[in-house]
Structures are given as C-alpha cells and as structure tokens.
Amino acid sequence: MSETARLHALPRSLPDESTQGIADARLLPDEEFREAWSSIALPTDMKERMLRGAVASIRLRQAVAFDAVPLHGITLLTGAPGVGKTTVARGLADKIARTLGSSTPWLFIEVDPHALASASLGRSQRSVEALFGTVIEELAFAGPLVVLVDEVETLLTDRAALSMDANPIDVHRAVDAALVGLDRLARRHTDVFVLATSNFPDAIDPALASRADNVIRVPLPDRSARRWILEHTVMAVAHAFPGAQSLAAADALDAAARQAEGLDGRRLRKAVAAACAYRPETQGDPNRVTVQDLLGAIEHARGTV
C-alpha cells in the first residue's frame, strides 16, 4: 500500500463509531518525535536499552513462534507525572521506525482511553472491540504499526479492585475486550508494537503487566539529568532572550540542579519560565532574569510538590 493509500486509511476516514479513541495518527519517522527523544534526559544507557529491547522483541516475534517465545510486543512505562513517559514513548516509536525501516512506512497511532468510556451499558465494551478488532486490526494489515496507549490504567483497570456495586459489569467486559484485542494483535501481527504509559501502575490489571515484555519505571531525574534539563531549557530561552544567558553559567546550573532535587522534568522546565516573572522588577521580561530568580522559582516549585 502506498503512503497516499495508507494516509487515506487513517482513522479519520473511517466511520465515526470506529474511530472513537484515536487521539493522533501519523507516519514514521517523524521529526517532532525525533526531537522529543533528544529532549529527554534519562539515566545512562536507559534510552538505548529501551530501544534495543523493543527492536529485539519485534525481530524475535517475526522469526520465532509465539508459543515458543510468548512475546506480546508490549512495553509498559510507569513513573510519576512529569517524568516524560509519553515523550519517551513517542520518541521510542520514531527510533523503532528509523532502526528497523520498512518498504511500507511505519504508522503511529495514539489511543485516548478516556474517549472509550461510556455510562451506557455495553457501550465501552463495543468501543474497545471496535478499536482493536476493526481500526487497529485493519491498520496492522496495511503495514508496521506502533500503538501508544497513554494512561493505560483508564482502559485496563485492575478488575479485582473494582466494586461490582459501584462499577457496572461493562467495565469488566471492556477490560476483557482490550486483553483479547492485544492477544489477537500479538499472534496475528508481529510488526505491531504497543507502548503503554501509567502514573498509577498499581491500578493496572495484572493481566496487562503479565503480557508486557518489558515494564520500565521512568525515574525522577538525578542531579546530572536535572542539570541537563535546566541547561537545555535555559539555552532555548536565551536563544530568544539573550539577557537570560547568565543562567547558563556553569556554577548557576550546578547550584540550580542541586537545589531542584525531587522535581520532575516538567516542573524543572516550568521553573525556568517562572523565574522570568519571579520578581516584580523584571516586569515579565526574560532578558532581566537572574540566577537568584531561578533559584527562587525552583524553591517555590519544591514547596508545591
């Protein structure tokens, strides 16, 4: 199938009831996703190990029978909010496509589990079945595919923790439908790779965790990573506002990284932005930001954690 034909087969051209739950769809490689991969600071070799694991899983599934090596092509990323799980997942999708290549372009789709939920009895189950059994299945037949399920606990909630009085049986059936869909994809489509993220791994049904080939906890940034994130953010600001260049001094970054212990990457980047408005005297002008403004903004951010 040509690129044009694949684009025409994207969920936006399918019936509305079948496309429910698709938040994004694009061909890979993708420059935005490549930049996302580069913008994430993780412990030494973590991104490389993640990529090697994904590539090995796909290659093994294409060459070895499922019953001999029961790989589902699922990687589960867990960790606190703001550590970059979704960004890592998108970047990993791009790296997989660049590493493995294909005569047919890789396709990326992002699932929004919240769009599949419904208060109507049986509706959630039917939405999940349509997503996995029709939309994803048809796209998988057309060529290699990466599926991202963000906040996967919304879709695959731990059934043992649900109250049958408070939660309709439809929730249980929807979880069953998602598991059946993942199993079908694993056996029928060896070039489909699923990435799932969660802030609350304890809320995920154990059946998903058992199917995951890799469960990776994305940690809060250590001091080295915090310094890299701060420098990356400061240099972006200083490129547009040269007066902020003082924040890029080595001693300033070292002090800020030490003080920022416990902050995730998102809060670190926002702290740089907050520093630009920390003092009334700056009048919101990033050219007038100082190192003390940055340290003050970081301290304030730590107080809100």
Side-chain angles (χ1 to χ4, degrees):
M1 180 179 289
S2 67
E3 278 196 38
T4 301
R6 277 205 91 190
L7 284 170
H8 289 163
L10 292 181
R12 62 174 176 263
S13 65
L14 297 174
D16 290 342
E17 63 269 22
S18 297
T19 61
Q20 184 178 12
I22 299 295
D24 187 17
R26 62 181 73 191
L27 294 174
L28 299 174
D30 181 87
E31 285 303 309
E32 181 183 348
F33 284 5
R34 182 166 74 168
E35 292 176 7
W37 184 255
S38 300
S39 72
I40 288 292
L42 293 176
T44 303
D45 197 38
M46 186 173 184
K47 288 196 289 189
E48 288 72 17
R49 285 187 283 111
M50 205 180 299
L51 175 60
R52 290 196 301 270
V55 170
S57 172
I58 294 169
R59 285 175 169 160
L60 283 168
R61 291 172 61 221
Q62 291 175 340
V64 182
F66 180 86
D67 291 328
V69 183
L71 296 173
H72 281 75
I74 300 172
T75 289
L76 174 60
L77 303 175
T78 69
V83 296
K85 298 181 296 297
T86 303
T87 302
V88 168
R90 291 168 177 161
L92 180 57
D94 178 76
K95 292 293 288 186
I96 289 170
R98 292 178 188 273
T99 301
L100 291 174
S102 174
S103 58
T104 303
W106 282 76
L107 179 66
F108 169 88
I109 62 171
E110 182 172 343
V111 174
D112 177 10
H114 301 280
L116 299 171
S118 174
S120 301
L121 185 62
R123 183 64 182 271
S124 296
Q125 178 189 359
R126 290 194 296 273
S127 296
V128 173
E129 288 175 341
L131 176 67
F132 283 95
T134 301
V135 178
I136 296 179
E137 182 89 4
E138 290 181 0
L139 292 172
F141 275 118
L145 174 67
V146 178
V147 180
L148 170 59
V149 186
D150 217 7
E151 299 182 1
V152 71
E153 71 278 359
T154 304
L155 178 62
L156 285 142
T157 305
D158 185 359
R159 289 164 293 181
L162 295 175
S163 166
M164 293 302 293
D165 294 328
N167 301 93
I169 192 65
D170 187 40
V171 176
H172 294 252
R173 289 174 175 169
V175 173
D176 290 338
L179 292 170
V180 169
L182 289 170
D183 287 342
R184 185 186 300 117
L185 286 173
R187 287 184 174 274
R188 294 183 181 177
H189 304 284
T190 58
D191 54 359
V192 171
F193 193 77
V194 178
L195 289 159
T197 72
S198 177
N199 298 332
F200 306 104
D202 291 341
I204 298 173
D205 196 282
L208 174 64
S210 72
R211 284 166 169 78
D213 304 334
N214 290 293
V215 179
I216 300 169
R217 180 168 181 80
V218 181
L220 287 169
D222 59 17
R223 185 187 296 185
S224 175
R226 293 196 300 271
R227 191 188 189 286
W228 186 92
I229 293 168
L230 286 166
E231 183 174 17
H232 185 264
T233 309
V234 164
M235 293 307 295
V237 173
H239 180 73
F241 300 93
Q245 188 66 39
S246 62
L247 302 185
D251 56 349
L253 291 170
D254 290 340
R258 284 195 302 272
Q259 187 167 319
E261 184 174 2
L263 295 184
D264 59 64
R266 183 186 299 151
R267 284 182 177 272
L268 282 168
R269 294 184 187 276
K270 288 181 180 293
V272 175
C276 298
Y278 189 71
R279 287 178 298 116
E281 294 83 356
T282 66
Q283 297 182 338
D285 182 359
N287 281 305
R288 303 172 69 178
V289 68
T290 68
V291 174
Q292 290 305 313
D293 292 334
L294 177 59
L295 296 177
I298 287 173
E299 191 59 32
H300 177 76
R302 290 186 65 198
T304 62
V305 174

